[in-house]
Amino acid sequence: MTMHLGLSKNIELSLTGELISGQVAHEIGILNHLVPRAEVMNKSLALAADMSKLGPTAMRLTKQRFRKLTQPGFDAVLEDAKIAQKEAYASGEPQEAIRKFLDARKSRKD
């Protein structure tokens, strides 16, 4: 996320737990395309059709290059996240936050 958003925005979203709308996600660069729900499949198929016209070797090499760029950092962060998740769940805090969230959601539906 830091690579996509910058450190300060990643810290803000991570520490506040703020849920953001699709519009905000698009504005800050997490989403490349924002379309109405009814158009999601058509947009996805159009993008896939465009990509299918590209040379398979060029596509493979481009994807490979991006994986080499991002994979080592992703793997390291994933390992750190596993350690953090184990510690967090051992404390019981995530379970309590989830319970409160679900209770509040249930209350809104009632």
Side-chain angles (χ1 to χ4, degrees):
M1 291 290 284
T2 299
M3 184 168 67
H4 298 288
L5 299 177
L7 182 60
S8 63
K9 191 63 174 176
N10 187 8
I11 289 171
E12 176 187 344
L13 292 173
S14 296
L15 292 179
T16 64
E18 177 186 355
L19 297 177
I20 60 173
S21 67
Q23 182 64 42
V24 170
H26 186 256
E27 290 168 3
I28 64 176
I30 296 174
L31 298 176
N32 290 334
H33 305 278
L34 184 62
V35 297
R37 183 182 303 259
E39 296 176 29
V40 169
M41 186 58 74
N42 288 337
K43 180 64 174 177
S44 299
L45 292 172
L47 286 169
D50 289 345
M51 285 190 247
S52 73
K53 296 173 187 169
L54 302 173
T57 302
M59 181 66 79
R60 179 180 54 77
L61 292 173
T62 299
K63 288 168 58 178
Q64 185 178 54
R65 187 183 53 185
F66 284 118
R67 266 193 304 279
K68 283 184 180 179
L69 175 70
T70 59
Q71 196 65 44
F74 178 79
D75 291 343
V77 168
L78 191 58
E79 288 305 313
D80 289 344
K82 287 178 189 177
I83 293 167
Q85 288 294 315
K86 286 178 184 176
E87 184 176 339
Y89 276 88
S91 76
E93 288 178 14
Q95 297 91 324
E96 179 64 16
I98 291 167
R99 186 190 61 72
K100 286 179 182 177
F101 174 81
L102 293 174
D103 288 347
R105 192 170 175 191
K106 183 180 177 187
S107 295
R108 284 192 303 248
K109 288 182 179 180
D110 293 337

XYZ file of all heavy atoms in Angstrom:
849
model
N 0.821 -1.195 0.000
C 0.000 0.000 0.000
C 0.864 1.258 0.000
O 0.499 2.228 -0.640
C -0.920 -0.003 1.219
C -2.008 -1.048 1.178
S -3.266 -0.715 -0.048
C -4.167 0.548 0.769
N 1.975 1.234 0.702
C 2.820 2.419 0.752
C 3.306 2.787 -0.633
O 3.356 3.965 -0.984
C 4.006 2.190 1.710
O 3.479 1.952 3.012
C 4.933 3.386 1.756
N 3.631 1.784 -1.433
C 4.108 2.052 -2.784
C 3.014 2.742 -3.606
O 3.297 3.599 -4.427
C 4.530 0.741 -3.465
C 5.127 0.947 -4.836
S 5.925 -0.522 -5.503
C 4.538 -1.614 -5.736
N 1.771 2.399 -3.375
C 0.667 2.966 -4.143
C 0.164 4.285 -3.580
O -0.224 5.175 -4.325
C -0.499 1.976 -4.204
C -0.144 0.708 -4.889
N 0.044 0.628 -6.239
C 0.083 -0.519 -4.407
C 0.361 -0.600 -6.567
N 0.391 -1.323 -5.463
N 0.145 4.408 -2.254
C -0.481 5.564 -1.617
C 0.488 6.578 -1.046
O 0.106 7.712 -0.794
C -1.366 5.099 -0.456
C -2.510 4.182 -0.797
C -3.238 3.764 0.477
C -3.466 4.863 -1.741
N 1.694 6.159 -0.792
C 2.611 6.980 -0.029
C 2.497 6.601 1.439
O 1.478 6.071 1.883
N 3.548 6.848 2.172
C 3.612 6.424 3.571
C 2.546 7.086 4.434
O 1.866 6.423 5.212
C 5.004 6.693 4.138
C 5.239 6.261 5.577
C 5.018 4.756 5.737
C 6.638 6.651 6.023
N 2.364 8.391 4.293
C 1.451 9.082 5.205
C 0.004 8.622 5.028
O -0.708 8.423 6.012
C 1.549 10.601 5.043
O 1.148 10.983 3.739
N -0.456 8.420 3.799
C -1.840 7.974 3.589
C -2.000 6.529 4.061
O -3.026 6.173 4.644
C -2.232 8.104 2.114
C -3.711 7.926 1.880
C -4.502 9.021 2.581
C -5.972 8.968 2.256
N -6.745 9.960 2.994
N -0.999 5.706 3.835
C -1.054 4.324 4.312
C -1.137 4.293 5.835
O -1.947 3.567 6.404
C 0.156 3.531 3.821
C 0.057 2.053 4.142
O -0.960 1.553 4.606
N 1.130 1.350 3.907
N -0.328 5.102 6.499
C -0.357 5.158 7.963
C -1.730 5.620 8.439
O -2.313 5.028 9.347
C 0.757 6.076 8.506
C 2.127 5.409 8.316
C 0.527 6.408 9.987
C 3.304 6.320 8.619
N -2.250 6.679 7.815
C -3.561 7.204 8.222
C -4.645 6.136 8.112
O -5.403 5.901 9.062
C -3.938 8.402 7.361
C -5.316 8.949 7.659
C -5.749 10.029 6.679
O -4.905 10.584 5.954
O -6.958 10.303 6.649
N -4.743 5.483 6.966
C -5.783 4.476 6.774
C -5.577 3.274 7.692
O -6.537 2.717 8.225
C -5.826 4.024 5.310
C -6.308 5.080 4.308
C -6.153 4.565 2.877
C -7.736 5.494 4.588
N -4.327 2.887 7.886
C -4.040 1.725 8.724
C -4.353 1.988 10.197
O -4.920 1.133 10.879
C -2.572 1.320 8.586
O -2.292 0.908 7.274
N -3.992 3.160 10.684
C -4.192 3.446 12.101
C -5.624 3.832 12.433
O -6.102 3.527 13.530
C -3.229 4.539 12.571
C -1.748 4.153 12.591
C -0.899 5.335 13.055
C -1.499 2.932 13.470
N -6.310 4.474 11.506
C -7.689 4.876 11.795
C -8.680 3.764 11.483
O -9.786 3.764 12.028
C -8.109 6.116 10.979
O -8.111 5.794 9.582
C -7.197 7.301 11.257
N -8.312 2.839 10.614
C -9.243 1.787 10.210
C -10.397 2.338 9.397
O -11.430 1.695 9.238
N -10.210 3.533 8.866
C -11.257 4.207 8.097
C -11.667 3.372 6.881
O -10.826 2.896 6.127
C -10.744 5.568 7.624
C -11.697 6.337 6.756
C -11.086 7.610 6.186
O -9.937 7.948 6.535
O -11.766 8.252 5.385
N -12.963 3.189 6.730
C -13.490 2.553 5.534
C -13.687 3.651 4.502
O -14.245 4.705 4.808
C -14.813 1.847 5.829
C -14.744 0.709 6.830
C -16.148 0.139 7.078
C -13.810 -0.383 6.356
N -13.221 3.416 3.296
C -13.325 4.443 2.260
C -14.268 3.972 1.160
O -14.435 2.779 0.924
C -11.944 4.819 1.689
C -11.245 3.606 1.064
C -11.072 5.456 2.764
C -9.961 3.941 0.346
N -14.856 4.922 0.494
C -15.782 4.617 -0.601
C -14.994 4.249 -1.857
O -13.789 4.493 -1.954
C -16.648 5.844 -0.894
O -15.838 6.893 -1.437
N -15.700 3.700 -2.808
C -15.084 3.403 -4.102
C -14.563 4.669 -4.753
O -13.500 4.663 -5.381
N -15.300 5.766 -4.605
C -14.877 7.037 -5.201
C -13.546 7.490 -4.610
O -12.638 7.885 -5.330
C -15.950 8.112 -4.989
C -15.601 9.447 -5.622
C -15.504 9.388 -7.128
O -16.326 8.764 -7.786
N -14.493 10.027 -7.682
N -13.426 7.423 -3.294
C -12.172 7.827 -2.645
C -11.046 6.878 -3.058
O -9.932 7.316 -3.356
C -12.331 7.875 -1.113
C -10.993 8.056 -0.416
C -13.288 8.988 -0.718
N -11.322 5.581 -3.087
C -10.308 4.606 -3.506
C -9.824 4.912 -4.919
O -8.629 4.816 -5.215
C -10.866 3.190 -3.424
N -10.738 5.324 -5.789
C -10.369 5.689 -7.159
C -9.527 6.965 -7.159
O -8.504 7.043 -7.847
C -11.635 5.870 -8.002
C -11.368 6.113 -9.438
N -11.481 7.357 -10.002
C -10.987 5.272 -10.436
C -11.185 7.285 -11.286
N -10.880 6.024 -11.566
N -9.949 7.939 -6.385
C -9.239 9.223 -6.325
C -7.812 9.084 -5.807
O -6.913 9.780 -6.270
C -10.010 10.218 -5.458
C -11.296 10.694 -6.094
C -12.197 11.454 -5.137
O -11.803 11.680 -3.963
O -13.316 11.808 -5.558
N -7.586 8.181 -4.856
C -6.241 8.046 -4.294
C -5.422 6.983 -5.008
O -4.276 6.732 -4.649
C -6.262 7.801 -2.771
C -6.923 6.475 -2.411
C -6.910 8.962 -2.047
C -6.890 6.145 -0.922
N -5.982 6.368 -6.027
C -5.209 5.476 -6.880
C -5.232 4.008 -6.525
O -4.435 3.236 -7.060
N -6.119 3.593 -5.627
C -6.217 2.169 -5.314
C -6.987 1.441 -6.409
O -6.719 0.285 -6.705
C -6.888 1.954 -3.940
C -6.020 2.542 -2.836
C -7.129 0.478 -3.678
C -6.652 2.509 -1.470
N -7.949 2.125 -7.013
C -8.737 1.559 -8.111
C -8.364 2.243 -9.413
O -8.262 3.469 -9.462
C -10.238 1.780 -7.875
C -10.879 1.147 -6.664
C -12.338 1.569 -6.571
C -10.772 -0.358 -6.737
N -8.200 1.476 -10.462
C -7.925 2.059 -11.773
C -9.200 2.515 -12.462
O -9.185 3.476 -13.222
C -7.215 1.051 -12.676
C -5.799 0.797 -12.221
O -5.180 1.638 -11.595
N -5.284 -0.375 -12.520
N -10.287 1.798 -12.229
C -11.555 2.101 -12.898
C -12.670 2.077 -11.872
O -12.691 1.220 -10.994
C -11.841 1.070 -13.992
C -10.733 0.941 -14.974
N -10.560 1.809 -16.031
C -9.710 0.064 -15.055
C -9.488 1.467 -16.714
N -8.952 0.408 -16.141
N -13.582 3.013 -12.013
C -14.747 3.060 -11.144
C -15.971 3.113 -12.044
O -16.140 4.056 -12.814
C -14.693 4.295 -10.249
C -15.792 4.434 -9.216
C -15.754 3.277 -8.219
C -15.658 5.766 -8.487
N -16.765 2.064 -11.981
C -17.949 1.980 -12.832
C -19.150 1.585 -11.973
O -18.987 0.976 -10.913
C -17.776 0.952 -13.979
C -16.646 1.362 -14.912
C -17.521 -0.439 -13.442
N -20.339 1.908 -12.430
C -21.527 1.464 -11.701
C -21.560 -0.066 -11.617
O -21.057 -0.762 -12.508
C -22.691 1.985 -12.549
C -22.111 3.126 -13.321
C -20.680 2.749 -13.572
N -22.151 -0.574 -10.555
C -22.198 -2.022 -10.306
C -22.682 -2.792 -11.538
O -22.135 -3.826 -11.886
C -23.099 -2.305 -9.114
C -23.169 -3.762 -8.718
C -24.131 -3.991 -7.552
N -23.793 -3.198 -6.391
C -23.155 -3.669 -5.323
N -22.802 -4.923 -5.253
N -22.889 -2.881 -4.299
N -23.688 -2.280 -12.208
C -24.261 -2.979 -13.365
C -23.292 -3.072 -14.540
O -23.485 -3.894 -15.434
C -25.542 -2.283 -13.808
N -22.257 -2.243 -14.534
C -21.304 -2.224 -15.647
C -19.984 -2.931 -15.347
O -19.090 -2.964 -16.191
C -21.026 -0.775 -16.053
C -22.254 -0.065 -16.587
C -21.976 1.405 -16.893
O -20.833 1.753 -17.218
O -22.929 2.200 -16.779
N -19.851 -3.496 -14.157
C -18.583 -4.111 -13.753
C -18.170 -5.236 -14.708
O -17.036 -5.272 -15.177
C -18.649 -4.627 -12.297
C -17.446 -5.490 -11.960
C -18.745 -3.455 -11.335
N -19.073 -6.151 -14.992
C -18.725 -7.275 -15.852
C -18.365 -6.800 -17.255
O -17.373 -7.255 -17.833
C -19.867 -8.295 -15.902
C -19.507 -9.559 -16.670
S -18.066 -10.455 -16.026
C -18.760 -11.180 -14.578
N -19.141 -5.871 -17.808
C -18.839 -5.369 -19.148
C -17.473 -4.689 -19.194
O -16.705 -4.885 -20.142
C -19.923 -4.404 -19.628
C -21.210 -5.119 -19.964
O -21.227 -6.323 -20.250
N -22.310 -4.388 -19.936
N -17.165 -3.891 -18.180
C -15.863 -3.210 -18.132
C -14.738 -4.230 -18.008
O -13.715 -4.127 -18.688
C -15.826 -2.224 -16.960
C -14.530 -1.470 -16.830
C -14.293 -0.573 -18.019
C -13.073 0.303 -17.822
N -12.791 1.135 -18.994
N -14.938 -5.234 -17.162
C -13.923 -6.274 -16.977
C -13.674 -7.035 -18.274
O -12.525 -7.278 -18.652
C -14.359 -7.261 -15.888
O -14.520 -6.593 -14.673
N -14.748 -7.392 -18.949
C -14.610 -8.126 -20.208
C -13.964 -7.265 -21.286
O -13.164 -7.764 -22.089
C -15.976 -8.645 -20.668
C -16.565 -9.739 -19.786
C -18.004 -10.050 -20.213
C -15.698 -10.993 -19.812
N -14.277 -5.975 -21.307
C -13.653 -5.071 -22.279
C -12.152 -4.955 -22.025
O -11.346 -4.994 -22.965
C -14.319 -3.697 -22.224
N -11.769 -4.826 -20.766
C -10.337 -4.769 -20.441
C -9.641 -6.070 -20.819
O -8.535 -6.060 -21.376
C -10.138 -4.481 -18.948
C -10.429 -3.059 -18.497
C -10.465 -2.987 -16.976
C -9.395 -2.098 -19.048
N -10.275 -7.192 -20.513
C -9.696 -8.493 -20.861
C -9.555 -8.630 -22.369
O -8.540 -9.142 -22.861
C -10.555 -9.618 -20.288
N -10.548 -8.178 -23.106
C -10.482 -8.254 -24.567
C -9.331 -7.405 -25.093
O -8.588 -7.837 -25.993
C -11.811 -7.810 -25.172
N -9.171 -6.210 -24.547
C -8.054 -5.349 -24.973
C -6.714 -6.018 -24.679
O -5.813 -6.026 -25.521
C -8.112 -3.995 -24.269
C -9.245 -3.116 -24.758
O -9.827 -3.410 -25.830
O -9.557 -2.126 -24.060
N -6.581 -6.587 -23.485
C -5.315 -7.229 -23.119
C -5.053 -8.482 -23.947
O -3.901 -8.810 -24.224
C -5.301 -7.555 -21.628
C -5.085 -6.337 -20.767
S -4.798 -6.809 -19.047
C -6.260 -6.152 -18.306
N -6.110 -9.162 -24.356
C -5.927 -10.392 -25.134
C -5.355 -10.103 -26.514
O -4.826 -10.995 -27.170
C -7.245 -11.158 -25.266
O -8.123 -10.501 -26.164
N -5.429 -8.858 -26.951
C -4.889 -8.471 -28.258
C -3.392 -8.197 -28.199
O -2.750 -8.068 -29.239
C -5.622 -7.232 -28.770
C -7.091 -7.480 -29.033
C -7.801 -6.194 -29.370
C -9.303 -6.439 -29.454
N -10.060 -5.190 -29.511
N -2.861 -8.097 -27.005
C -1.432 -7.821 -26.843
C -0.638 -9.096 -27.045
O -1.130 -10.197 -26.811
C -1.167 -7.235 -25.458
C -1.921 -5.946 -25.143
C -1.706 -5.548 -23.694
C -1.505 -4.828 -26.073
N 0.598 -8.949 -27.456
C 1.447 -10.109 -27.678
C 1.659 -10.889 -26.397
O 1.957 -10.298 -25.355
N 1.511 -12.209 -26.453
C 1.651 -13.014 -25.234
C 3.043 -12.928 -24.609
O 3.166 -12.935 -23.386
C 1.303 -14.433 -25.678
C 1.372 -14.420 -27.157
C 1.174 -13.024 -27.612
N 4.076 -12.830 -25.433
C 5.432 -12.743 -24.877
C 5.622 -11.409 -24.169
O 6.133 -11.361 -23.042
C 6.488 -12.915 -25.972
O 6.288 -14.182 -26.605
C 7.897 -12.848 -25.403
N 5.180 -10.341 -24.795
C 5.290 -9.022 -24.163
C 4.487 -8.978 -22.868
O 4.959 -8.436 -21.855
C 4.799 -7.942 -25.126
N 3.308 -9.560 -22.870
C 2.471 -9.580 -21.660
C 3.162 -10.368 -20.559
O 3.235 -9.915 -19.409
C 1.109 -10.193 -21.985
C 0.165 -10.232 -20.812
S -0.374 -8.646 -20.201
C -1.622 -8.247 -21.398
N 3.675 -11.543 -20.887
C 4.359 -12.384 -19.897
C 5.571 -11.674 -19.329
O 5.786 -11.653 -18.112
C 4.759 -13.725 -20.525
C 5.490 -14.657 -19.566
C 5.870 -15.977 -20.220
N 6.633 -15.845 -21.445
C 7.945 -15.552 -21.510
N 8.632 -15.364 -20.399
N 8.558 -15.455 -22.667
N 6.383 -11.069 -20.186
C 7.600 -10.400 -19.725
C 7.276 -9.171 -18.874
O 7.956 -8.893 -17.884
C 8.472 -10.010 -20.919
C 9.090 -11.187 -21.667
C 9.785 -10.696 -22.930
C 10.053 -11.957 -20.785
N 6.238 -8.453 -19.242
C 5.841 -7.281 -18.462
C 5.363 -7.705 -17.082
O 5.758 -7.122 -16.058
C 4.747 -6.497 -19.201
O 5.270 -6.057 -20.462
C 4.284 -5.297 -18.400
N 4.531 -8.726 -17.026
C 4.053 -9.220 -15.733
C 5.217 -9.741 -14.892
O 5.280 -9.493 -13.679
C 3.007 -10.315 -15.954
C 1.675 -9.779 -16.471
C 0.735 -10.849 -16.952
C 0.393 -11.866 -15.922
N -0.572 -12.878 -16.389
N 6.132 -10.427 -15.536
C 7.300 -10.962 -14.837
C 8.140 -9.825 -14.250
O 8.599 -9.899 -13.110
C 8.124 -11.791 -15.813
C 9.306 -12.498 -15.220
C 10.012 -13.314 -16.297
O 10.378 -12.794 -17.346
N 10.171 -14.598 -16.026
N 8.315 -8.763 -15.024
C 9.098 -7.616 -14.557
C 8.449 -6.976 -13.338
O 9.119 -6.635 -12.353
C 9.237 -6.601 -15.686
C 10.163 -5.451 -15.359
C 10.192 -4.473 -16.473
N 8.782 -4.151 -16.713
C 8.355 -3.385 -17.694
N 9.180 -2.865 -18.521
N 7.075 -3.137 -17.837
N 7.127 -6.816 -13.353
C 6.440 -6.230 -12.199
C 6.508 -7.139 -10.980
O 6.627 -6.670 -9.846
C 4.993 -5.869 -12.540
C 4.899 -4.623 -13.371
C 4.368 -4.672 -14.644
C 5.353 -3.408 -12.885
C 4.284 -3.526 -15.421
C 5.283 -2.256 -13.657
C 4.742 -2.320 -14.928
N 6.435 -8.448 -11.184
C 6.570 -9.384 -10.049
C 7.961 -9.272 -9.437
O 8.107 -9.272 -8.210
C 6.300 -10.823 -10.497
C 4.874 -11.258 -10.290
C 4.702 -12.753 -10.437
N 5.154 -13.292 -11.702
C 4.452 -13.266 -12.845
N 3.268 -12.731 -12.875
N 4.951 -13.782 -13.933
N 9.003 -9.177 -10.271
C 10.362 -9.041 -9.738
C 10.511 -7.747 -8.949
O 11.234 -7.692 -7.967
C 11.385 -9.088 -10.866
C 11.636 -10.465 -11.387
C 12.726 -10.467 -12.442
C 12.962 -11.876 -12.957
N 13.984 -11.915 -13.998
N 9.804 -6.732 -9.376
C 9.869 -5.442 -8.701
C 9.172 -5.469 -7.350
O 9.653 -4.896 -6.376
C 9.228 -4.367 -9.591
C 9.095 -2.968 -9.014
C 10.468 -2.324 -8.882
C 8.195 -2.126 -9.902
N 8.052 -6.161 -7.261
C 7.222 -6.082 -6.066
C 7.255 -7.308 -5.157
O 6.992 -7.191 -3.964
C 5.754 -5.839 -6.458
O 5.308 -6.910 -7.291
C 5.596 -4.522 -7.199
N 7.556 -8.471 -5.679
C 7.407 -9.708 -4.912
C 8.283 -9.789 -3.664
O 7.787 -10.170 -2.605
C 7.643 -10.933 -5.802
C 7.142 -12.219 -5.186
C 5.634 -12.241 -5.028
O 4.907 -11.854 -5.928
N 5.164 -12.671 -3.877
N 9.570 -9.436 -3.742
C 10.390 -9.553 -2.523
C 9.845 -8.715 -1.361
O 9.750 -9.192 -0.233
C 11.774 -9.064 -2.959
C 11.803 -9.324 -4.439
C 10.395 -9.057 -4.902
N 9.453 -7.484 -1.629
C 8.894 -6.645 -0.582
C 7.568 -7.182 -0.080
O 7.289 -7.161 1.119
N 6.741 -7.683 -1.001
C 5.451 -8.253 -0.624
C 5.647 -9.456 0.277
O 4.971 -9.590 1.299
C 4.667 -8.647 -1.878
C 3.349 -9.283 -1.571
C 2.255 -8.514 -1.225
C 3.198 -10.655 -1.626
C 1.033 -9.090 -0.935
C 1.987 -11.255 -1.342
C 0.894 -10.467 -0.990
N 6.576 -10.331 -0.075
C 6.830 -11.523 0.740
C 7.283 -11.147 2.150
O 6.824 -11.735 3.131
C 7.881 -12.415 0.077
C 7.379 -13.084 -1.194
O 6.145 -13.141 -1.407
O 8.224 -13.548 -1.983
N 8.158 -10.154 2.255
C 8.651 -9.723 3.566
C 7.524 -9.125 4.405
O 7.384 -9.432 5.594
C 9.779 -8.705 3.394
N 6.704 -8.277 3.791
C 5.591 -7.662 4.509
C 4.578 -8.720 4.928
O 4.014 -8.653 6.027
C 4.937 -6.566 3.637
C 3.614 -6.100 4.210
C 5.882 -5.392 3.481
N 4.344 -9.703 4.084
C 3.401 -10.769 4.408
C 3.876 -11.557 5.632
O 3.080 -11.871 6.519
C 3.221 -11.701 3.210
C 2.100 -12.705 3.292
C 0.758 -12.030 3.502
C 2.060 -13.534 2.020
N 5.146 -11.849 5.698
C 5.683 -12.558 6.862
C 5.528 -11.721 8.128
O 5.139 -12.231 9.173
C 7.151 -12.947 6.634
C 7.332 -14.075 5.643
C 6.536 -15.328 6.006
O 6.566 -15.765 7.178
O 5.850 -15.865 5.108
N 5.824 -10.425 8.023
C 5.647 -9.537 9.171
C 4.180 -9.469 9.582
O 3.856 -9.436 10.780
C 6.151 -8.124 8.851
C 7.667 -8.051 8.757
O 8.355 -8.982 9.219
O 8.170 -7.047 8.203
N 3.281 -9.442 8.600
C 1.849 -9.382 8.891
C 1.380 -10.641 9.610
O 0.538 -10.558 10.519
C 1.056 -9.177 7.602
N 1.904 -11.793 9.241
C 1.529 -13.039 9.918
C 1.891 -12.965 11.402
O 1.090 -13.347 12.262
C 2.239 -14.236 9.279
C 1.713 -14.621 7.925
C 2.528 -15.790 7.396
C 2.234 -16.110 5.964
N 3.095 -17.195 5.445
N 3.063 -12.463 11.691
C 3.511 -12.336 13.083
C 2.609 -11.361 13.833
O 2.157 -11.635 14.954
C 4.993 -11.883 13.133
C 5.896 -12.995 12.573
C 5.403 -11.482 14.550
C 7.318 -12.554 12.272
N 2.314 -10.224 13.198
C 1.462 -9.220 13.845
C 0.053 -9.758 14.070
O -0.546 -9.523 15.130
C 1.416 -7.949 12.989
N -0.494 -10.475 13.102
C -1.845 -11.029 13.242
C -1.916 -12.038 14.387
O -2.881 -12.032 15.158
C -2.301 -11.683 11.938
C -2.631 -10.704 10.834
C -3.834 -9.865 11.163
O -4.847 -10.364 11.635
N -3.750 -8.568 10.922
N -0.910 -12.882 14.493
C -0.896 -13.860 15.596
C -0.904 -13.141 16.941
O -1.648 -13.511 17.849
C 0.329 -14.768 15.487
C 0.230 -15.795 14.384
C 1.495 -16.633 14.303
C 1.434 -17.596 13.140
N 2.679 -18.361 12.984
N -0.086 -12.113 17.069
C -0.028 -11.371 18.331
C -1.344 -10.640 18.595
O -1.864 -10.653 19.719
C 1.126 -10.367 18.309
C 1.294 -9.626 19.624
C 2.498 -8.698 19.644
O 3.429 -8.887 18.833
O 2.491 -7.786 20.493
N -1.894 -10.014 17.563
C -3.151 -9.283 17.730
C -4.275 -10.222 18.147
O -5.021 -9.922 19.092
C -3.513 -8.559 16.437
N -4.417 -11.353 17.470
C -5.507 -12.271 17.806
C -5.302 -12.928 19.163
O -6.277 -13.241 19.845
C -5.720 -13.301 16.688
C -6.614 -12.748 15.600
C -6.078 -12.028 14.543
C -7.986 -12.894 15.679
C -6.897 -11.485 13.569
C -8.817 -12.354 14.712
C -8.271 -11.650 13.656
O -9.085 -11.108 12.707
N -4.063 -13.085 19.570
C -3.804 -13.626 20.903
C -4.284 -12.652 21.980
O -4.666 -13.070 23.074
C -2.317 -13.921 21.082
N -4.314 -11.358 21.661
C -4.770 -10.359 22.628
C -6.292 -10.309 22.738
O -6.818 -9.782 23.709
C -4.263 -8.968 22.223
O -5.024 -8.456 21.130
N -6.986 -10.793 21.712
C -8.443 -10.749 21.707
C -9.041 -9.466 21.149
O -10.254 -9.370 20.966
N -8.209 -8.469 20.873
C -8.734 -7.195 20.389
C -9.455 -7.299 19.044
O -10.538 -6.714 18.886
C -7.616 -6.155 20.313
C -7.159 -5.679 21.672
C -6.012 -4.688 21.588
O -5.725 -4.165 20.494
O -5.400 -4.442 22.642
N -8.906 -7.996 18.052
C -9.630 -8.074 16.774
C -10.998 -8.736 16.914
O -11.976 -8.291 16.309
C -8.704 -8.912 15.881
C -7.357 -8.727 16.461
C -7.580 -8.624 17.946
N -11.072 -9.770 17.717
C -12.351 -10.446 17.908
C -13.384 -9.488 18.506
O -14.540 -9.480 18.094
C -12.184 -11.676 18.814
C -11.286 -12.753 18.241
C -9.820 -12.606 18.629
O -9.296 -11.505 18.743
N -9.157 -13.732 18.820
N -12.960 -8.689 19.470
C -13.855 -7.724 20.106
C -14.291 -6.650 19.102
O -15.463 -6.270 19.047
C -13.176 -7.070 21.317
C -14.017 -6.049 22.036
C -15.284 -6.626 22.668
O -15.403 -7.858 22.822
O -16.179 -5.822 22.993
N -13.360 -6.166 18.291
C -13.698 -5.146 17.296
C -14.677 -5.702 16.265
O -15.628 -5.003 15.870
C -12.430 -4.648 16.605
N -14.480 -6.923 15.856
C -15.391 -7.554 14.898
C -16.775 -7.714 15.516
O -17.790 -7.441 14.869
C -14.829 -8.910 14.426
C -13.589 -8.685 13.550
C -15.877 -9.712 13.655
C -12.780 -9.943 13.282
N -16.820 -8.133 16.770
C -18.108 -8.292 17.450
C -18.847 -6.965 17.514
O -20.035 -6.884 17.213
C -17.914 -8.857 18.863
C -19.245 -9.191 19.562
C -19.066 -9.508 21.034
N -18.500 -8.400 21.809
C -19.148 -7.279 22.130
N -20.386 -7.086 21.738
N -18.564 -6.336 22.843
N -18.150 -5.890 17.886
C -18.772 -4.571 17.968
C -19.273 -4.116 16.595
O -20.363 -3.566 16.470
C -17.787 -3.548 18.527
C -17.555 -3.682 20.002
C -16.555 -2.639 20.471
C -16.278 -2.784 21.960
N -15.264 -1.818 22.409
N -18.466 -4.346 15.572
C -18.851 -3.974 14.214
C -20.117 -4.715 13.793
O -21.059 -4.116 13.275
C -17.708 -4.278 13.237
C -18.067 -4.064 11.795
C -18.052 -2.795 11.248
C -18.412 -5.139 10.985
C -18.385 -2.590 9.913
C -18.746 -4.947 9.656
C -18.731 -3.669 9.114
N -20.144 -6.018 14.022
C -21.314 -6.817 13.633
C -22.546 -6.443 14.450
O -23.663 -6.392 13.914
C -21.011 -8.314 13.766
C -19.967 -8.846 12.787
C -19.641 -10.303 13.096
C -20.413 -8.685 11.342
N -22.368 -6.159 15.735
C -23.489 -5.731 16.566
C -24.062 -4.404 16.064
O -25.279 -4.229 15.982
C -23.079 -5.594 18.034
C -22.838 -6.934 18.712
O -23.220 -7.978 18.131
O -22.264 -6.926 19.822
N -23.177 -3.463 15.718
C -23.630 -2.164 15.216
C -24.344 -2.325 13.875
O -25.367 -1.686 13.621
C -22.440 -1.209 15.070
N -23.827 -3.188 13.044
C -24.442 -3.443 11.735
C -25.827 -4.066 11.910
O -26.771 -3.690 11.221
C -23.534 -4.353 10.929
C -23.885 -4.470 9.499
C -22.792 -5.189 8.771
N -23.213 -5.400 7.414
C -22.608 -6.159 6.558
N -21.504 -6.768 6.908
N -23.061 -6.305 5.342
N -25.922 -5.001 12.854
C -27.203 -5.650 13.125
C -28.205 -4.621 13.650
O -29.376 -4.632 13.269
C -27.013 -6.782 14.128
C -28.278 -7.566 14.412
C -28.029 -8.673 15.401
C -29.333 -9.376 15.724
N -29.194 -10.335 16.780
N -27.752 -3.734 14.507
C -28.626 -2.705 15.075
C -29.173 -1.778 13.977
O -30.321 -1.348 14.051
C -27.877 -1.868 16.100
O -27.515 -2.664 17.200
N -28.368 -1.471 12.983
C -28.805 -0.597 11.886
C -29.871 -1.283 11.041
O -30.738 -0.623 10.476
C -27.624 -0.214 11.007
C -26.735 0.831 11.621
C -25.769 1.381 10.605
N -24.970 0.321 10.015
C -23.672 0.161 10.189
N -23.011 0.998 10.948
N -23.018 -0.818 9.619
N -29.783 -2.605 10.904
C -30.755 -3.337 10.095
C -32.086 -3.485 10.805
O -33.123 -3.624 10.188
C -30.209 -4.723 9.734
C -29.103 -4.669 8.724
C -28.638 -6.061 8.363
C -27.532 -6.009 7.323
N -27.069 -7.354 6.967
N -32.050 -3.500 12.135
C -33.279 -3.689 12.926
C -34.155 -2.480 12.927
O -34.143 -1.490 12.557
C -32.948 -4.058 14.381
C -32.291 -5.441 14.468
O -32.484 -6.248 13.559
O -31.594 -5.670 15.467
